[in-house]
Amino acid sequence: MPKSKTRYRTWNREKEKNYNRSNYIVVIIIVLMIYIAYIFISQGINYKENIIPVYNYVIQKNSNYEVLLKPNTFYETKTLPSGRYYASQSINLYKINFEYDFKGDKKTNFDCTYNIIANLIGTVKENDGQEKEVWNRKTTFNENTCKKYINTDEFIIKKGVNIDYEYYNNLARSYEKTYGIIIDSVLKLKFNISYTIETSNFKAETQKIEDSIELEIPITNTVSEIKENYEKKLENSINLPTDNIQVQQIIYYIIGGALILGAIILIIIEIIIKNKKEREQMYNYNINHILKYYKDLIVTVTNMPDLKDLKVMKVLALEDLLDLAEQNQVNIIHYKIPNKEESNLYVILSNYVYIYIVTEDQLK
């Protein structure tokens, strides 16, 4: 195999290798930008969960009760303890006590209000089995304002209420008799508490908390019980002001969005703009390597050869032009077309001129 062909193929392999290496670098940069953008956006989404709270607190809720019985010959005591089922007709009163215990990790001030609301609700079942409310009666007990708690990390509120079971049972039965329908009745008893935590001393937003302890008491002519409908323990915290959190999140989102936008722009550059630059670079790369590898065959001229009396034959492969030059022991004439990314390589034999055109599109 002629040496020129060997050098030509070596040059092509080197050119392809460098071209692929450039593409790999751009792909790595785009992947890194997207990955870093993902980190920033994830930090923005999770920022609120990752920040250190400025105030932590624990709430303990509790309720206890005893059942006061009507005069009867069946029970040896006048009261029954909590946690049982009770014959509805035996109940005189439910004596219920609520306890709400708040404890924080720093001293501060508290303002609070509370009340106890008994809501008797009557429902009926539809054909599809769903219950629909048809009636309710609310009663409010012990509506009051707590004293203001100053410079403390804990406050405890204990309140009690007596529920006249017979009164609510008679009320529900009277409704049924009056309107001629059978209802399922339940008394929902709520100890509601609302309080404000002053947080100015640790630079957080003032917190207003509304909370409750809820019990449910079925009102029937058969048996009754008390069901607890609340969490006994709640742990929570207060963070920096919402505005500060939102600003930090927005910064993370902006950085992440900018990186994604940058990656998109880079991809567009690679797809659209880079194509033109590659053409220019590839032309220079092509002609420079041709001149380097075949300098012993090529003569560069500054004037365009006079081809007026010659028959022009265009050659599609550089190897063919090299074969012509070597086999006929003539030089290849190189002429750069002014103001264009294009060069012509000529081999002149007798009345023929063989031309190979090097342009930015000519990659082989």
Side-chain angles (χ1 to χ4, degrees):
M1 181 183 293
K3 290 183 180 181
S4 60
K5 288 189 177 181
T6 303
R7 286 181 294 178
Y8 177 77
R9 291 176 182 177
T10 302
W11 162 56
N12 263 325
R13 288 194 296 269
E14 181 183 342
K15 178 178 63 175
E16 187 68 24
K17 184 177 179 182
N18 291 336
Y19 180 75
N20 290 335
R21 185 184 297 117
S22 174
N23 281 342
Y24 292 149
I25 292 172
V26 172
V27 169
I28 290 171
I29 291 172
I30 291 172
V31 170
L32 283 174
M33 290 176 73
I34 293 174
Y35 176 70
I36 296 171
Y38 166 77
I39 292 174
F40 274 99
I41 292 174
S42 298
Q43 286 292 324
I45 294 171
N46 300 321
Y47 181 75
K48 190 172 183 179
E49 287 73 22
N50 294 335
I51 63 175
I52 299 173
V54 294
Y55 185 76
N56 300 294
Y57 60 89
V58 178
I59 297 170
Q60 296 276 3
K61 304 177 188 179
N62 192 31
S63 60
N64 60 77
Y65 64 92
E66 60 180 354
V67 181
L68 278 62
L69 301 175
K70 298 176 183 177
N72 66 87
T73 59
F74 299 99
Y75 294 97
E76 296 178 355
T77 61
K78 294 181 179 181
T79 62
L80 293 176
S82 61
R84 298 185 181 181
Y85 287 93
Y86 312 98
S88 298
Q89 297 301 321
S90 71
I91 302 170
N92 180 23
L93 295 173
Y94 275 113
K95 192 172 184 179
I96 301 171
N97 294 298
F98 296 103
E99 182 175 322
Y100 191 92
D101 185 349
F102 179 101
K103 186 171 182 61
D105 63 353
K106 296 180 180 68
K107 291 186 177 182
T108 187
N109 304 328
F110 303 89
D111 281 314
C112 68
T113 59
Y114 64 86
N115 62 28
I116 297 174
I117 294 178
N119 189 17
L120 179 61
I121 301 172
T123 60
V124 294
K125 285 187 178 179
E126 293 188 329
N127 294 333
D128 59 3
Q130 292 186 346
E131 291 190 350
K132 298 293 184 180
E133 181 180 321
V134 294
W135 171 64
N136 72 73
R137 172 72 65 85
K138 284 186 180 180
T139 308
T140 302
F141 305 92
N142 297 332
E143 190 160 15
N144 208 339
T145 300
C146 307
K147 69 176 184 178
K148 185 167 184 176
Y149 297 91
I150 305 295
N151 195 30
T152 182
D153 60 359
E154 183 177 18
F155 67 86
I156 301 174
I157 300 175
K158 297 180 180 180
K159 293 297 169 184
V161 64
N162 292 333
I163 298 299
D164 187 339
Y165 188 86
E166 186 174 16
Y167 165 77
Y168 287 104
N169 199 357
N170 290 339
L171 192 60
R173 304 293 78 80
S174 177
Y175 182 91
E176 291 179 329
K177 184 177 179 181
T178 300
Y179 296 107
I181 60 174
I182 303 299
I183 60 173
D184 293 323
S185 304
V186 62
L187 185 68
K188 292 190 175 183
L189 190 64
K190 258 189 176 184
F191 173 51
N192 299 302
I193 180 168
S194 175
Y195 52 95
T196 300
I197 307 173
E198 295 182 7
T199 55
S200 56
N201 57 334
F202 38 87
K203 298 180 181 179
E205 293 178 334
T206 298
Q207 298 289 308
K208 184 174 182 180
I209 296 175
E210 295 183 350
D211 207 352
S212 65
I213 301 174
E214 184 179 69
L215 302 176
E216 290 187 4
I217 307 172
I219 305 297
T220 71
N221 277 328
T222 54
V223 294
S224 182
E225 62 174 324
I226 289 187
K227 301 175 182 178
E228 295 179 341
N229 189 21
Y230 64 92
E231 285 187 62
K232 289 185 174 289
K233 185 176 181 180
L234 174 65
E235 297 183 15
N236 212 333
S237 60
I238 297 174
N239 300 320
L240 292 172
T242 303
D243 290 344
N244 291 1
I245 294 173
Q246 289 177 343
V247 168
Q248 293 294 332
Q249 287 178 317
I250 289 171
I251 290 173
Y252 282 123
Y253 292 147
I254 289 174
I255 295 174
L259 286 169
I260 290 176
L261 182 61
I264 293 172
I265 291 173
L266 193 56
I267 291 171
I268 293 173
I269 290 173
E270 281 297 294
I271 295 173
I272 300 175
I273 302 175
K274 185 182 174 184
N275 185 52
K276 183 177 183 299
K277 291 184 178 179
E278 282 184 346
R279 286 171 172 265
E280 295 173 358
Q281 292 170 355
M282 290 308 296
Y283 162 75
N284 292 326
Y285 189 84
N286 286 339
I287 194 62
N288 290 337
H289 276 72
I290 290 172
L291 295 176
K292 174 183 175 182
Y293 277 89
Y294 312 112
K295 60 184 178 181
D296 51 345
L297 286 175
I298 296 174
V299 175
T300 300
V301 296
T302 57
N303 296 323
M304 184 174 180
D306 184 4
L307 309 177
K308 183 171 54 177
D309 298 325
L310 299 176
K311 293 181 181 179
V312 176
M313 307 291 288
K314 289 188 177 179
V315 179
L316 296 179
L318 179 59
E319 286 180 302
D320 294 336
L321 195 71
L322 295 171
D323 286 343
L324 282 171
E326 288 185 336
Q327 290 171 7
N328 293 279
Q329 295 183 347
V330 296
N331 288 329
I332 298 174
I333 300 171
H334 165 233
Y335 174 69
K336 169 71 170 64
I337 307 299
N339 303 319
K340 291 181 68 174
E341 303 300 327
E342 182 177 316
S343 287
N344 290 342
L345 300 179
Y346 305 95
V347 170
I348 299 174
L349 296 173
S350 300
N351 296 325
Y352 292 89
V353 58
Y354 298 88
I355 304 175
Y356 177 79
I357 301 173
V358 181
T359 67
E360 63 269 20
D361 292 322
Q362 198 76 35
L363 303 181
K364 293 184 179 178

